Amino acid sequence: MAQQFSILDFFGRWLLTALLVFGTYNPTDYSYLSWITSDGMAWDPVPALVTVLLLIAWLVFLRNTFLAIGPLGIILCSALVACIIWLLIDWGVFSIESSSAVAWAVLAGLSLVLAIGLSWPHIRRGLTGQLTVDDVED
């Protein structure tokens, strides 16, 4: 029997997607893109390995999200995140004048969309009782 999906499972997936998104790029100097574009960066085996690992992670996360919620689901989740960001700006939580704050919000939104995509088969099974083909046990 399948284990019950919990809110902690969702937040675990969100943490993984946030590590991928913010590790790849963020407005600080502590990201993959800042690292590989920095002066004096030599293209050694370590940056090549990290590049390949990040490409694999992005491919897995994006593919699973696309398969789980499809293009319409991605559009709707992105619209929901955009409305939440707009609401936070309207409430004065952060200013649109700060490009850094907007970048952080958009990156957090991207990680949220990916987490929803990774979690959707479990959420759908809990809501409807329907299994996806990948959920069928031997």
Side-chain angles (χ1 to χ4, degrees), residues 23-36:
T24 303
Y25 171 76
N26 64 64
T28 70
D29 290 335
Y30 301 103
S31 72
Y32 167 77
L33 286 176
S34 294
W35 174 48
I36 65 165

PDB file of all heavy atoms in Angstrom, residues 23-36:
ATOM      1  N   GLY A  23      20.629  27.542  -6.279  1.00  0.00           N
ATOM      2  CA  GLY A  23      22.019  27.136  -6.492  1.00  0.00           C
ATOM      3  C   GLY A  23      22.485  27.436  -7.901  1.00  0.00           C
ATOM      4  O   GLY A  23      23.651  27.738  -8.131  1.00  0.00           O
ATOM      5  N   THR A  24      21.577  27.373  -8.847  1.00  0.00           N
ATOM      6  CA  THR A  24      21.922  27.671 -10.232  1.00  0.00           C
ATOM      7  C   THR A  24      22.101  29.170 -10.434  1.00  0.00           C
ATOM      8  O   THR A  24      23.077  29.615 -11.041  1.00  0.00           O
ATOM      9  CB  THR A  24      20.838  27.144 -11.189  1.00  0.00           C
ATOM     10  OG1 THR A  24      20.686  25.731 -10.984  1.00  0.00           O
ATOM     11  CG2 THR A  24      21.207  27.415 -12.628  1.00  0.00           C
ATOM     12  N   TYR A  25      21.152  29.955  -9.929  1.00  0.00           N
ATOM     13  CA  TYR A  25      21.253  31.412 -10.047  1.00  0.00           C
ATOM     14  C   TYR A  25      20.539  32.072  -8.886  1.00  0.00           C
ATOM     15  O   TYR A  25      19.467  31.633  -8.466  1.00  0.00           O
ATOM     16  CB  TYR A  25      20.624  31.933 -11.350  1.00  0.00           C
ATOM     17  CG  TYR A  25      20.547  33.440 -11.347  1.00  0.00           C
ATOM     18  CD1 TYR A  25      21.682  34.205 -11.564  1.00  0.00           C
ATOM     19  CD2 TYR A  25      19.364  34.098 -11.054  1.00  0.00           C
ATOM     20  CE1 TYR A  25      21.634  35.584 -11.508  1.00  0.00           C
ATOM     21  CE2 TYR A  25      19.301  35.483 -11.005  1.00  0.00           C
ATOM     22  CZ  TYR A  25      20.444  36.219 -11.232  1.00  0.00           C
ATOM     23  OH  TYR A  25      20.399  37.578 -11.157  1.00  0.00           O
ATOM     24  N   ASN A  26      21.125  33.131  -8.382  1.00  0.00           N
ATOM     25  CA  ASN A  26      20.478  34.046  -7.449  1.00  0.00           C
ATOM     26  C   ASN A  26      21.201  35.380  -7.551  1.00  0.00           C
ATOM     27  O   ASN A  26      22.294  35.440  -8.113  1.00  0.00           O
ATOM     28  CB  ASN A  26      20.456  33.480  -6.019  1.00  0.00           C
ATOM     29  CG  ASN A  26      21.820  33.296  -5.442  1.00  0.00           C
ATOM     30  OD1 ASN A  26      22.559  34.248  -5.237  1.00  0.00           O
ATOM     31  ND2 ASN A  26      22.188  32.035  -5.184  1.00  0.00           N
ATOM     32  N   PRO A  27      20.609  36.450  -7.043  1.00  0.00           N
ATOM     33  CA  PRO A  27      21.207  37.779  -7.210  1.00  0.00           C
ATOM     34  C   PRO A  27      22.499  38.021  -6.420  1.00  0.00           C
ATOM     35  O   PRO A  27      23.063  39.104  -6.510  1.00  0.00           O
ATOM     36  CB  PRO A  27      20.110  38.730  -6.715  1.00  0.00           C
ATOM     37  CG  PRO A  27      18.855  37.961  -6.779  1.00  0.00           C
ATOM     38  CD  PRO A  27      19.235  36.546  -6.545  1.00  0.00           C
ATOM     39  N   THR A  28      22.968  37.056  -5.659  1.00  0.00           N
ATOM     40  CA  THR A  28      24.219  37.222  -4.926  1.00  0.00           C
ATOM     41  C   THR A  28      25.375  36.651  -5.742  1.00  0.00           C
ATOM     42  O   THR A  28      25.200  36.191  -6.865  1.00  0.00           O
ATOM     43  CB  THR A  28      24.160  36.493  -3.562  1.00  0.00           C
ATOM     44  OG1 THR A  28      24.172  35.079  -3.794  1.00  0.00           O
ATOM     45  CG2 THR A  28      22.924  36.885  -2.782  1.00  0.00           C
ATOM     46  N   ASP A  29      26.551  36.666  -5.150  1.00  0.00           N
ATOM     47  CA  ASP A  29      27.721  36.076  -5.800  1.00  0.00           C
ATOM     48  C   ASP A  29      27.853  34.592  -5.508  1.00  0.00           C
ATOM     49  O   ASP A  29      28.844  33.976  -5.883  1.00  0.00           O
ATOM     50  CB  ASP A  29      28.993  36.795  -5.348  1.00  0.00           C
ATOM     51  CG  ASP A  29      29.087  38.206  -5.909  1.00  0.00           C
ATOM     52  OD1 ASP A  29      28.480  38.453  -6.971  1.00  0.00           O
ATOM     53  OD2 ASP A  29      29.756  39.049  -5.284  1.00  0.00           O
ATOM     54  N   TYR A  30      26.890  34.001  -4.815  1.00  0.00           N
ATOM     55  CA  TYR A  30      26.977  32.606  -4.400  1.00  0.00           C
ATOM     56  C   TYR A  30      26.007  31.738  -5.195  1.00  0.00           C
ATOM     57  O   TYR A  30      24.993  31.278  -4.687  1.00  0.00           O
ATOM     58  CB  TYR A  30      26.695  32.478  -2.902  1.00  0.00           C
ATOM     59  CG  TYR A  30      27.654  33.288  -2.078  1.00  0.00           C
ATOM     60  CD1 TYR A  30      27.259  34.491  -1.522  1.00  0.00           C
ATOM     61  CD2 TYR A  30      28.957  32.873  -1.894  1.00  0.00           C
ATOM     62  CE1 TYR A  30      28.139  35.259  -0.779  1.00  0.00           C
ATOM     63  CE2 TYR A  30      29.852  33.626  -1.153  1.00  0.00           C
ATOM     64  CZ  TYR A  30      29.436  34.816  -0.610  1.00  0.00           C
ATOM     65  OH  TYR A  30      30.316  35.559   0.109  1.00  0.00           O
ATOM     66  N   SER A  31      26.328  31.532  -6.470  1.00  0.00           N
ATOM     67  CA  SER A  31      25.522  30.669  -7.328  1.00  0.00           C
ATOM     68  C   SER A  31      26.426  30.061  -8.385  1.00  0.00           C
ATOM     69  O   SER A  31      27.550  30.526  -8.620  1.00  0.00           O
ATOM     70  CB  SER A  31      24.385  31.450  -7.994  1.00  0.00           C
ATOM     71  OG  SER A  31      24.896  32.318  -8.989  1.00  0.00           O
ATOM     72  N   TYR A  32      25.907  29.052  -9.045  1.00  0.00           N
ATOM     73  CA  TYR A  32      26.652  28.387 -10.112  1.00  0.00           C
ATOM     74  C   TYR A  32      27.009  29.373 -11.218  1.00  0.00           C
ATOM     75  O   TYR A  32      28.156  29.421 -11.675  1.00  0.00           O
ATOM     76  CB  TYR A  32      25.816  27.220 -10.659  1.00  0.00           C
ATOM     77  CG  TYR A  32      26.343  26.672 -11.957  1.00  0.00           C
ATOM     78  CD1 TYR A  32      27.460  25.845 -11.969  1.00  0.00           C
ATOM     79  CD2 TYR A  32      25.743  26.997 -13.166  1.00  0.00           C
ATOM     80  CE1 TYR A  32      27.961  25.352 -13.157  1.00  0.00           C
ATOM     81  CE2 TYR A  32      26.229  26.507 -14.352  1.00  0.00           C
ATOM     82  CZ  TYR A  32      27.344  25.682 -14.357  1.00  0.00           C
ATOM     83  OH  TYR A  32      27.831  25.202 -15.534  1.00  0.00           O
ATOM     84  N   LEU A  33      26.038  30.170 -11.669  1.00  0.00           N
ATOM     85  CA  LEU A  33      26.312  31.104 -12.764  1.00  0.00           C
ATOM     86  C   LEU A  33      27.340  32.165 -12.381  1.00  0.00           C
ATOM     87  O   LEU A  33      28.194  32.523 -13.195  1.00  0.00           O
ATOM     88  CB  LEU A  33      25.017  31.761 -13.244  1.00  0.00           C
ATOM     89  CG  LEU A  33      24.115  30.854 -14.068  1.00  0.00           C
ATOM     90  CD1 LEU A  33      22.812  31.550 -14.422  1.00  0.00           C
ATOM     91  CD2 LEU A  33      24.806  30.371 -15.319  1.00  0.00           C
ATOM     92  N   SER A  34      27.290  32.640 -11.147  1.00  0.00           N
ATOM     93  CA  SER A  34      28.297  33.601 -10.694  1.00  0.00           C
ATOM     94  C   SER A  34      29.676  32.953 -10.654  1.00  0.00           C
ATOM     95  O   SER A  34      30.684  33.576 -10.989  1.00  0.00           O
ATOM     96  CB  SER A  34      27.944  34.131  -9.305  1.00  0.00           C
ATOM     97  OG  SER A  34      26.771  34.874  -9.352  1.00  0.00           O
ATOM     98  N   TRP A  35      29.705  31.700 -10.230  1.00  0.00           N
ATOM     99  CA  TRP A  35      30.966  30.968 -10.121  1.00  0.00           C
ATOM    100  C   TRP A  35      31.620  30.767 -11.479  1.00  0.00           C
ATOM    101  O   TRP A  35      32.799  31.049 -11.658  1.00  0.00           O
ATOM    102  CB  TRP A  35      30.699  29.633  -9.431  1.00  0.00           C
ATOM    103  CG  TRP A  35      31.847  28.690  -9.344  1.00  0.00           C
ATOM    104  CD1 TRP A  35      33.129  28.978  -8.929  1.00  0.00           C
ATOM    105  CD2 TRP A  35      31.842  27.307  -9.675  1.00  0.00           C
ATOM    106  NE1 TRP A  35      33.908  27.850  -8.978  1.00  0.00           N
ATOM    107  CE2 TRP A  35      33.139  26.809  -9.436  1.00  0.00           C
ATOM    108  CE3 TRP A  35      30.865  26.442 -10.138  1.00  0.00           C
ATOM    109  CZ2 TRP A  35      33.484  25.483  -9.639  1.00  0.00           C
ATOM    110  CZ3 TRP A  35      31.210  25.120 -10.336  1.00  0.00           C
ATOM    111  CH2 TRP A  35      32.494  24.656 -10.093  1.00  0.00           C
ATOM    112  N   ILE A  36      30.843  30.281 -12.465  1.00  0.00           N
ATOM    113  CA  ILE A  36      31.469  29.974 -13.758  1.00  0.00           C
ATOM    114  C   ILE A  36      31.747  31.211 -14.599  1.00  0.00           C
ATOM    115  O   ILE A  36      32.521  31.141 -15.549  1.00  0.00           O
ATOM    116  CB  ILE A  36      30.652  28.950 -14.581  1.00  0.00           C
ATOM    117  CG1 ILE A  36      29.298  29.507 -14.976  1.00  0.00           C
ATOM    118  CG2 ILE A  36      30.543  27.632 -13.863  1.00  0.00           C
ATOM    119  CD1 ILE A  36      28.611  28.711 -16.062  1.00  0.00           C
TER     120      ILE A  36
END
